[in-house]
């Protein structure tokens, strides 16, 4: 690889510091490259490979795009894809030891399984309407279990002493029961502990969920994590053999370096650079540091998206892309 | 609660640079935007060979706006901005289509694996 190709397409990891961090693929930067925007060229080079997908986790490779745009998708996933979350709490009675404001905050953070695309943003100053609000009731009173004898286990001594998300009961607003079935609108998990009670204590609360985005409050963020890393590359500049090969292997994550046996000699080989964490441990060893080159592919993003369970992760990524498109379209019209 | 849609207020402004009539150098103000649009749009605008300089800044962390500067070799600043937005939009369209196809493909393979 020639030098300018290398600075353009790879980030280099050195013993002290990282080189070629910034994108330089702009017109006029290199005399022998045409870097003007070319949609056809982009289309030819761009690809997405799914690695892993289930109900709440997604891993995929996005190749052939600049960090500026990949980072926009990541930032939108964290802060600008809307969800429904508890926004107002009306406390009619709370005789538990947990304070009203703490309780209200805890309730706010509960992920609510409701498709945000079916709701509107609530406009400031206006009353709750079925188009923008979901109401739940939380009414629990703890009592003594008269059957319990000779026990110190609170689960047996008391009834309803643990208030969990399964106690949240959906109260349909006008017309909502024709659109949603029982169970369509509920907390994602029904075993989140909200408060603990003792006999005689009571919680009587009504909560109001609205649509919002993570920029406003983290409770609206639809992801547990959304991150990317660049694909690592490892080159061995000369053969690494014998005891040194084993030392080299121990410098990297498991599975990155394998040791082959050739004519009774141990020879190190890079098997799967993708598994590397890019720790740069290898540069701490004087007899190894000149034998390897560590790099990252500048336009190969390994995305990892973990949903809170409100929407499937693939839908979240789609929504994030749509949010960026909407931003562009809004300003094109201006 | 502040929503991201304040349609009654203009979200794009042009900074009045002391009566300058030069249309090739412009600073735009995007209200309610941050690095998300700022950096991705800067990249797309800088890919245009007509552009001499493009950069953006967040003037203060507690104000949600960005200043977006464009200087060109001769084209109008507004035209270059519009091209940048259109290019970014077409990139998103293609990414979305590719992503959806990739998801469908993965789901189909998953079903085949479960059946076979």
């Amino acid at each position: 690889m020639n030098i300018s190709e290398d600075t353009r397409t790879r980030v280099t990891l050195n013993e002290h510091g990282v080189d070629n961090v910034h994108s330089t693929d702009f017109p006029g930067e290199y005399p022998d490259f045409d870097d003007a925007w070319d949609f056809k060229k982009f289309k030819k080079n761009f690809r997405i490979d799914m690695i892993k997908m289930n109900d709440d986790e997604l891993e995929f490779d996005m190749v052939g795009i600049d960090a500026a745009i990949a980072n926009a998708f990541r930032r939108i996933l964290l802060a600008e894809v809307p969800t429904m979350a508890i926004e107002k709490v009306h406390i009619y009675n709370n005789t538990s030891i947990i304070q009203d404001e703490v309780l209200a905050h805890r309730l706010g953070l509960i992920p609510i399984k409701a498709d945000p695309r079916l709701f509107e943003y609530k406009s400031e100053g206006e009353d709750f309407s079925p188009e923008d609000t979901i109401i739940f009731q939380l009414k629990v009173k703890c009592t003594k279990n008269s059957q319990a004898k000779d026990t110190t286990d609170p689960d047996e001594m008391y009834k309803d002493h643990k208030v969990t998300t399964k106690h949240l009961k959906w109260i349909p607003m006008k017309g909502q029961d024709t659109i949603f079935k029982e169970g369509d609108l509920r907390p994602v998990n029904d075993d989140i502990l909200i408060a603990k009670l003792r006999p005689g204590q009571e919680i009587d609360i009504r909560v109001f969920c609205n649509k919002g985005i993570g920029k406003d409050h983290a409770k609206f963020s639809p992801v547990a994590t959304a991150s990317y890393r660049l694909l690592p590359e490892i080159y061995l500049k000369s053969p690494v053999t014998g005891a040194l090969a084993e030392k080299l292997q121990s410098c990297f994550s498991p599975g990155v370096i394998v040791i082959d046996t050739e004519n009774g000699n141990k020879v190190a080989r890079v098997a799967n650079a993708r598994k590397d964490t890019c720790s740069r441990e290898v540069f701490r060893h004087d007899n190894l540091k000149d034998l390897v080159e560590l790099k990252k592919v500048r336009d190969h993003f390994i995305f990892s998206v973990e949903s809170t369970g409100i929407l499937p992760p693939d839908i979240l990524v789609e929504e994030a892309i749509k949010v960026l498109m909407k931003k562009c379209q809004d300003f094109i019209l201006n | 609660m502040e929503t991201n849609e304040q349609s009654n207020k203009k979200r794009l402004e042009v900074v009045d640079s002391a009566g300058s009539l030069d249309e090739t150098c412009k600073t735009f103000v995007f209200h309610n935007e941050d690095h998300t649009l700022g950096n991705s749009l800067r990249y797309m605008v800088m890919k245009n060979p007509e552009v001499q300089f493009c950069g953006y800044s967040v003037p203060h962390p507690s104000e949600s706006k960005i200043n977006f500067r464009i200087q060109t070799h001769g084209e109008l600043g507004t035209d270059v901005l519009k091209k940048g937005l259109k290019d970014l939009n077409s990139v998103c369209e293609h990414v979305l289509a590719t992503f959806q196809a990739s998801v469908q493909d993965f789901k189909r393979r998953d079903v085949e694996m479960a059946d076979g």
Side-chain angles (χ1 to χ4, degrees), chain A residues 91 94-106 195 205:
Chain A
I91 300 177
N94 173 24
T95 51
S96 74
I97 56 157
I98 186 162
Q99 298 91 330
D100 291 0
E101 66 275 21
V102 179
L103 184 60
H105 178 250
R106 286 178 69 75
I205 280 172

Side-chain angles (χ1 to χ4, degrees), chain A residues 51-323:
Chain A
I51 307 295
K52 187 173 87 182
M53 178 161 60
N54 55 41
D55 293 343
D56 44 34
E57 268 177 293
L58 176 63
E59 190 182 320
F60 64 95
D61 288 16
M62 192 184 268
V63 190
I65 199 162
D66 190 73
I69 297 164
N71 191 40
F73 295 143
R74 184 194 62 85
R75 284 174 63 96
I76 291 170
L77 275 169
L78 292 170
E80 290 183 65
V81 174
T83 63
M84 301 294 285
I86 295 172
E87 178 74 3
K88 283 254 165 10
V89 179
H90 291 181
I91 300 177
Y92 298 100
N93 195 8
N94 173 24
T95 51
S96 74
I97 56 157
I98 186 162
Q99 298 91 330
D100 291 0
E101 66 275 21
V102 179
L103 184 60
H105 178 250
R106 286 178 69 75
L107 286 164
L109 298 172
I110 296 167
I112 303 292
K113 186 133 183 135
D115 193 332
R117 293 168 293 182
L118 304 174
F119 290 88
E120 306 287 336
Y121 286 104
K122 187 178 156 313
S123 25
E124 188 113 32
E126 275 178 46
D127 220 1
F128 300 116
S129 78
E131 286 77 42
D132 58 35
T133 305
I134 305 167
I135 305 177
F136 291 98
Q137 191 183 42
L138 181 65
K139 195 170 179 171
V140 187
K141 190 171 182 172
C142 178
T143 51
K144 253 197 186 120
N145 181 8
S146 51
Q147 261 92 60
K149 271 186 232 124
D150 286 342
T151 174
T152 53
D153 180 3
D155 284 333
E156 286 174 38
M157 284 158 74
Y158 317 122
K159 282 179 183 158
D160 286 330
H161 77 113
K162 278 179 179 161
V163 183
T164 63
T165 39
K166 78 163 186 282
H167 292 104
L168 281 168
K169 207 174 149 295
W170 174 48
I171 311 286
M173 290 181 80
K174 196 167 168 256
Q176 278 185 343
D177 46 357
T178 58
I179 304 164
F180 303 103
K181 295 192 300 290
E182 190 73 45
D184 280 354
L185 305 174
R186 58 181 172 81
V188 172
N189 311 95
D190 56 12
D191 56 354
I192 300 174
L193 186 65
I194 299 169
K196 284 191 173 185
L197 303 179
R198 282 295 176 264
Q201 294 179 345
E202 184 183 1
I203 284 177
D204 184 2
I205 280 172
R206 227 162 227 249
V207 298
F208 300 81
C209 309
N210 292 131
K211 188 165 159 174
I213 55 172
K215 230 202 282 197
D216 178 53
H217 192 293
K219 69 184 173 186
F220 291 115
S221 186
V223 291
T225 60
S227 64
Y228 61 71
R229 63 193 179 99
L230 294 176
L231 179 74
E233 267 183 357
I234 302 165
Y235 298 104
L236 299 182
K237 289 199 270 190
S238 52
V240 183
T241 53
L244 215 50
E246 276 173 0
K247 196 171 171 188
L248 181 80
Q249 189 180 39
S250 69
C251 287
F252 293 93
S253 310
V256 175
I257 305 282
V258 292
I259 294 176
D260 299 330
T261 315
E262 284 172 23
N263 311 326
N265 280 331
K266 286 174 177 168
V267 183
R269 174 169 62 84
V270 180
N272 191 358
R274 191 190 169 95
K275 286 184 174 171
D276 190 28
T277 57
C278 297
S279 70
R280 291 192 272 166
E281 165 73 9
V282 67
F283 293 136
R284 297 180 67 229
H285 304 279
D286 286 331
N287 48 0
L288 282 174
K289 68 178 171 192
D290 296 323
L291 301 176
V292 290
E293 249 176 36
L294 300 188
K295 288 185 175 159
K296 290 183 182 195
V297 184
R298 187 192 298 287
D299 67 349
H300 189 132
F301 297 91
I302 302 170
F303 264 87
S304 154
V305 179
E306 209 178 295
S307 164
T308 53
I310 296 171
L311 286 173
D314 54 313
I315 301 293
L316 289 179
V317 176
E318 282 179 24
E319 289 302 307
I321 299 167
K322 285 178 192 162
V323 168

Side-chain angles (χ1 to χ4, degrees), chain A residues 25-27 35-37 39 42-43 46 48 50-53 58 60 62 65-66 68-69 72-73 75-76 80 87 121 124 211 215-216 314 317-318 321-322 324-332 334, chain B residues 1-5 10-12 30-37 39-40 42-44 46-49 82-83 85-96 98-100 102-103 106-107 109-110:
Chain A
D25 54 337
F26 300 112
D35 279 315
W37 179 248
F39 186 68
F42 165 72
K43 221 167 161 174
F46 182 76
I48 288 177
M50 288 293 148
I51 307 295
K52 187 173 87 182
M53 178 161 60
L58 176 63
F60 64 95
M62 192 184 268
I65 199 162
D66 190 73
I69 297 164
F73 295 143
R75 284 174 63 96
I76 291 170
E80 290 183 65
E87 178 74 3
Y121 286 104
E124 188 113 32
K211 188 165 159 174
K215 230 202 282 197
D216 178 53
D314 54 313
V317 176
E318 282 179 24
I321 299 167
K322 285 178 192 162
L324 189 56
M325 277 162 74
K326 175 135 197 322
K327 279 177 192 288
C328 295
Q329 284 153 11
D330 283 356
F331 286 113
I332 290 171
N334 238 301
Chain B
M1 197 191 73
E2 201 188 343
T3 61
N4 57 342
E5 285 176 279
K10 224 171 172 187
R11 288 182 67 202
L12 183 62
F30 290 76
H31 291 283
N32 276 318
E33 290 300 339
D34 54 10
H35 299 282
T36 305
L37 185 71
N39 198 28
S40 49
R42 184 204 57 118
Y43 175 79
M44 292 314 294
M46 279 176 77
K47 279 295 234 179
N48 186 343
K82 206 160 247 185
K83 183 181 183 316
L85 286 163
K86 280 181 182 158
D87 284 345
L88 185 56
N89 191 55
S90 60
V91 168
C92 290
E93 267 171 23
H94 182 64
V95 172
L96 183 61
T98 314
F99 183 81
Q100 282 169 335
S102 188
V103 168
F106 186 89
K107 282 184 177 162
R109 265 187 293 149
D110 222 32

